[in-house]
Amino acid sequence: MRLDKWLWCARFFKTRGLAVEEIGKGRVMVNGQLAKAAREVRAGDLLSIRQGTALREVRIEALSNYRGPAPVAQQLYAETPASQARREELAKQRQLAPEPADELRHGRPTKRDRRQIDQLRQQPTLDARWSAIHGGGD
């Protein structure tokens, strides 16, 4: 079975096109080697799949020619214990990391702030009152 089709059937990617794209970028390895989308995979092959910042290592347990529901797709592979431990550690680090939004002191202006800004913009400026065009200053 083709690698891109298996990744799609196992629900690692939403479309086969996305699977092909990620394989082309070198984010999927089969048995420690970079692979092409048309590479044939078999039960027992070890895949390394990088999705975002996470690296998942899975062993192919079965092949399927169609994309079924998620519980069926999860039976097609088994994630290695080292990969599971790594993902859990990353999840803990994300929980302990500070919330980026906490550092924002000022967000978008409120409705009240926008009204005040509009009022300031409508007031005549010094340049308009005293410019040479309007004959100011004489």
Side-chain angles (χ1 to χ4, degrees), residues 107-122:
R108 293 175 53 181
T110 62
K111 191 170 187 176
R112 181 180 179 194
D113 294 337
R114 286 194 304 270
R115 285 187 193 130
Q116 290 174 347
I117 291 169
D118 289 342
Q119 286 176 355
L120 288 173
R121 286 185 179 160
Q122 290 175 358

PDB file of all heavy atoms in Angstrom, residues 107-122:
ATOM      1  N   GLY A 107      -5.006  45.721  24.623  1.00  0.00           N
ATOM      2  CA  GLY A 107      -5.552  44.972  23.499  1.00  0.00           C
ATOM      3  C   GLY A 107      -6.143  45.922  22.485  1.00  0.00           C
ATOM      4  O   GLY A 107      -5.716  47.074  22.338  1.00  0.00           O
ATOM      5  N   ARG A 108      -7.157  45.476  21.812  1.00  0.00           N
ATOM      6  CA  ARG A 108      -7.831  46.328  20.850  1.00  0.00           C
ATOM      7  C   ARG A 108      -8.579  47.418  21.595  1.00  0.00           C
ATOM      8  O   ARG A 108      -9.019  47.216  22.721  1.00  0.00           O
ATOM      9  CB  ARG A 108      -8.821  45.493  20.044  1.00  0.00           C
ATOM     10  CG  ARG A 108      -8.132  44.482  19.161  1.00  0.00           C
ATOM     11  CD  ARG A 108      -9.109  43.591  18.465  1.00  0.00           C
ATOM     12  NE  ARG A 108     -10.107  44.357  17.747  1.00  0.00           N
ATOM     13  CZ  ARG A 108     -11.097  43.834  17.073  1.00  0.00           C
ATOM     14  NH1 ARG A 108     -11.237  42.535  17.037  1.00  0.00           N
ATOM     15  NH2 ARG A 108     -11.962  44.580  16.442  1.00  0.00           N
ATOM     16  N   PRO A 109      -8.753  48.575  20.978  1.00  0.00           N
ATOM     17  CA  PRO A 109      -9.479  49.641  21.666  1.00  0.00           C
ATOM     18  C   PRO A 109     -10.947  49.253  21.863  1.00  0.00           C
ATOM     19  O   PRO A 109     -11.549  48.598  21.020  1.00  0.00           O
ATOM     20  CB  PRO A 109      -9.360  50.837  20.729  1.00  0.00           C
ATOM     21  CG  PRO A 109      -8.823  50.328  19.450  1.00  0.00           C
ATOM     22  CD  PRO A 109      -8.232  48.997  19.689  1.00  0.00           C
ATOM     23  N   THR A 110     -11.500  49.688  22.997  1.00  0.00           N
ATOM     24  CA  THR A 110     -12.909  49.439  23.268  1.00  0.00           C
ATOM     25  C   THR A 110     -13.744  50.436  22.480  1.00  0.00           C
ATOM     26  O   THR A 110     -13.227  51.367  21.856  1.00  0.00           O
ATOM     27  CB  THR A 110     -13.213  49.599  24.764  1.00  0.00           C
ATOM     28  OG1 THR A 110     -12.938  50.953  25.131  1.00  0.00           O
ATOM     29  CG2 THR A 110     -12.377  48.648  25.606  1.00  0.00           C
ATOM     30  N   LYS A 111     -15.038  50.259  22.552  1.00  0.00           N
ATOM     31  CA  LYS A 111     -15.927  51.181  21.846  1.00  0.00           C
ATOM     32  C   LYS A 111     -15.742  52.597  22.387  1.00  0.00           C
ATOM     33  O   LYS A 111     -15.711  53.578  21.640  1.00  0.00           O
ATOM     34  CB  LYS A 111     -17.369  50.711  22.025  1.00  0.00           C
ATOM     35  CG  LYS A 111     -18.363  51.406  21.131  1.00  0.00           C
ATOM     36  CD  LYS A 111     -19.692  50.688  21.219  1.00  0.00           C
ATOM     37  CE  LYS A 111     -20.675  51.251  20.220  1.00  0.00           C
ATOM     38  NZ  LYS A 111     -21.933  50.520  20.229  1.00  0.00           N
ATOM     39  N   ARG A 112     -15.584  52.713  23.693  1.00  0.00           N
ATOM     40  CA  ARG A 112     -15.373  54.022  24.321  1.00  0.00           C
ATOM     41  C   ARG A 112     -14.065  54.639  23.836  1.00  0.00           C
ATOM     42  O   ARG A 112     -14.004  55.843  23.530  1.00  0.00           O
ATOM     43  CB  ARG A 112     -15.366  53.855  25.833  1.00  0.00           C
ATOM     44  CG  ARG A 112     -15.181  55.142  26.580  1.00  0.00           C
ATOM     45  CD  ARG A 112     -15.194  54.892  28.058  1.00  0.00           C
ATOM     46  NE  ARG A 112     -14.985  56.135  28.777  1.00  0.00           N
ATOM     47  CZ  ARG A 112     -14.690  56.196  30.051  1.00  0.00           C
ATOM     48  NH1 ARG A 112     -14.586  55.099  30.767  1.00  0.00           N
ATOM     49  NH2 ARG A 112     -14.506  57.351  30.629  1.00  0.00           N
ATOM     50  N   ASP A 113     -13.006  53.824  23.788  1.00  0.00           N
ATOM     51  CA  ASP A 113     -11.718  54.317  23.300  1.00  0.00           C
ATOM     52  C   ASP A 113     -11.827  54.811  21.858  1.00  0.00           C
ATOM     53  O   ASP A 113     -11.273  55.850  21.503  1.00  0.00           O
ATOM     54  CB  ASP A 113     -10.657  53.217  23.370  1.00  0.00           C
ATOM     55  CG  ASP A 113     -10.319  52.812  24.794  1.00  0.00           C
ATOM     56  OD1 ASP A 113     -10.540  53.626  25.714  1.00  0.00           O
ATOM     57  OD2 ASP A 113      -9.827  51.682  24.984  1.00  0.00           O
ATOM     58  N   ARG A 114     -12.546  54.087  21.021  1.00  0.00           N
ATOM     59  CA  ARG A 114     -12.698  54.495  19.620  1.00  0.00           C
ATOM     60  C   ARG A 114     -13.437  55.824  19.513  1.00  0.00           C
ATOM     61  O   ARG A 114     -13.113  56.672  18.681  1.00  0.00           O
ATOM     62  CB  ARG A 114     -13.420  53.402  18.825  1.00  0.00           C
ATOM     63  CG  ARG A 114     -12.537  52.191  18.549  1.00  0.00           C
ATOM     64  CD  ARG A 114     -13.131  51.297  17.490  1.00  0.00           C
ATOM     65  NE  ARG A 114     -14.464  50.849  17.779  1.00  0.00           N
ATOM     66  CZ  ARG A 114     -14.800  49.746  18.439  1.00  0.00           C
ATOM     67  NH1 ARG A 114     -13.839  48.966  18.870  1.00  0.00           N
ATOM     68  NH2 ARG A 114     -16.045  49.415  18.644  1.00  0.00           N
ATOM     69  N   ARG A 115     -14.457  56.029  20.328  1.00  0.00           N
ATOM     70  CA  ARG A 115     -15.186  57.313  20.306  1.00  0.00           C
ATOM     71  C   ARG A 115     -14.254  58.459  20.671  1.00  0.00           C
ATOM     72  O   ARG A 115     -14.287  59.528  20.045  1.00  0.00           O
ATOM     73  CB  ARG A 115     -16.360  57.268  21.291  1.00  0.00           C
ATOM     74  CG  ARG A 115     -17.524  56.467  20.807  1.00  0.00           C
ATOM     75  CD  ARG A 115     -18.698  56.623  21.761  1.00  0.00           C
ATOM     76  NE  ARG A 115     -19.707  55.636  21.484  1.00  0.00           N
ATOM     77  CZ  ARG A 115     -20.268  54.847  22.377  1.00  0.00           C
ATOM     78  NH1 ARG A 115     -19.920  54.928  23.648  1.00  0.00           N
ATOM     79  NH2 ARG A 115     -21.185  53.979  22.038  1.00  0.00           N
ATOM     80  N   GLN A 116     -13.421  58.251  21.697  1.00  0.00           N
ATOM     81  CA  GLN A 116     -12.484  59.299  22.103  1.00  0.00           C
ATOM     82  C   GLN A 116     -11.467  59.586  20.999  1.00  0.00           C
ATOM     83  O   GLN A 116     -11.130  60.734  20.739  1.00  0.00           O
ATOM     84  CB  GLN A 116     -11.773  58.903  23.395  1.00  0.00           C
ATOM     85  CG  GLN A 116     -12.685  58.912  24.601  1.00  0.00           C
ATOM     86  CD  GLN A 116     -11.993  58.382  25.846  1.00  0.00           C
ATOM     87  OE1 GLN A 116     -10.918  57.785  25.773  1.00  0.00           O
ATOM     88  NE2 GLN A 116     -12.626  58.594  26.996  1.00  0.00           N
ATOM     89  N   ILE A 117     -11.004  58.544  20.332  1.00  0.00           N
ATOM     90  CA  ILE A 117     -10.059  58.737  19.232  1.00  0.00           C
ATOM     91  C   ILE A 117     -10.720  59.520  18.104  1.00  0.00           C
ATOM     92  O   ILE A 117     -10.127  60.448  17.533  1.00  0.00           O
ATOM     93  CB  ILE A 117      -9.546  57.367  18.726  1.00  0.00           C
ATOM     94  CG1 ILE A 117      -8.652  56.729  19.781  1.00  0.00           C
ATOM     95  CG2 ILE A 117      -8.803  57.498  17.404  1.00  0.00           C
ATOM     96  CD1 ILE A 117      -8.314  55.272  19.515  1.00  0.00           C
ATOM     97  N   ASP A 118     -11.965  59.180  17.778  1.00  0.00           N
ATOM     98  CA  ASP A 118     -12.693  59.897  16.718  1.00  0.00           C
ATOM     99  C   ASP A 118     -12.897  61.367  17.082  1.00  0.00           C
ATOM    100  O   ASP A 118     -12.774  62.245  16.226  1.00  0.00           O
ATOM    101  CB  ASP A 118     -14.044  59.234  16.439  1.00  0.00           C
ATOM    102  CG  ASP A 118     -13.895  57.895  15.731  1.00  0.00           C
ATOM    103  OD1 ASP A 118     -12.799  57.646  15.167  1.00  0.00           O
ATOM    104  OD2 ASP A 118     -14.851  57.101  15.771  1.00  0.00           O
ATOM    105  N   GLN A 119     -13.203  61.651  18.351  1.00  0.00           N
ATOM    106  CA  GLN A 119     -13.388  63.041  18.788  1.00  0.00           C
ATOM    107  C   GLN A 119     -12.088  63.819  18.648  1.00  0.00           C
ATOM    108  O   GLN A 119     -12.084  64.977  18.214  1.00  0.00           O
ATOM    109  CB  GLN A 119     -13.875  63.093  20.231  1.00  0.00           C
ATOM    110  CG  GLN A 119     -15.330  62.700  20.405  1.00  0.00           C
ATOM    111  CD  GLN A 119     -15.751  62.669  21.875  1.00  0.00           C
ATOM    112  OE1 GLN A 119     -14.926  62.848  22.767  1.00  0.00           O
ATOM    113  NE2 GLN A 119     -17.034  62.424  22.109  1.00  0.00           N
ATOM    114  N   LEU A 120     -10.983  63.224  18.991  1.00  0.00           N
ATOM    115  CA  LEU A 120      -9.696  63.900  18.860  1.00  0.00           C
ATOM    116  C   LEU A 120      -9.358  64.165  17.393  1.00  0.00           C
ATOM    117  O   LEU A 120      -8.783  65.202  17.067  1.00  0.00           O
ATOM    118  CB  LEU A 120      -8.586  63.066  19.500  1.00  0.00           C
ATOM    119  CG  LEU A 120      -8.591  63.024  21.031  1.00  0.00           C
ATOM    120  CD1 LEU A 120      -7.554  62.031  21.535  1.00  0.00           C
ATOM    121  CD2 LEU A 120      -8.314  64.407  21.602  1.00  0.00           C
ATOM    122  N   ARG A 121      -9.706  63.261  16.532  1.00  0.00           N
ATOM    123  CA  ARG A 121      -9.421  63.439  15.101  1.00  0.00           C
ATOM    124  C   ARG A 121     -10.283  64.539  14.491  1.00  0.00           C
ATOM    125  O   ARG A 121      -9.888  65.171  13.523  1.00  0.00           O
ATOM    126  CB  ARG A 121      -9.653  62.138  14.352  1.00  0.00           C
ATOM    127  CG  ARG A 121      -8.567  61.124  14.595  1.00  0.00           C
ATOM    128  CD  ARG A 121      -8.764  59.898  13.753  1.00  0.00           C
ATOM    129  NE  ARG A 121      -7.696  58.950  13.994  1.00  0.00           N
ATOM    130  CZ  ARG A 121      -7.762  57.675  13.726  1.00  0.00           C
ATOM    131  NH1 ARG A 121      -8.866  57.178  13.199  1.00  0.00           N
ATOM    132  NH2 ARG A 121      -6.755  56.885  13.966  1.00  0.00           N
ATOM    133  N   GLN A 122     -11.481  64.753  15.006  1.00  0.00           N
ATOM    134  CA  GLN A 122     -12.385  65.758  14.451  1.00  0.00           C
ATOM    135  C   GLN A 122     -12.044  67.167  14.916  1.00  0.00           C
ATOM    136  O   GLN A 122     -12.457  68.143  14.299  1.00  0.00           O
ATOM    137  CB  GLN A 122     -13.831  65.436  14.813  1.00  0.00           C
ATOM    138  CG  GLN A 122     -14.347  64.205  14.077  1.00  0.00           C
ATOM    139  CD  GLN A 122     -15.741  63.807  14.527  1.00  0.00           C
ATOM    140  OE1 GLN A 122     -16.302  64.432  15.419  1.00  0.00           O
ATOM    141  NE2 GLN A 122     -16.284  62.777  13.911  1.00  0.00           N
TER     142      GLN A 122
END
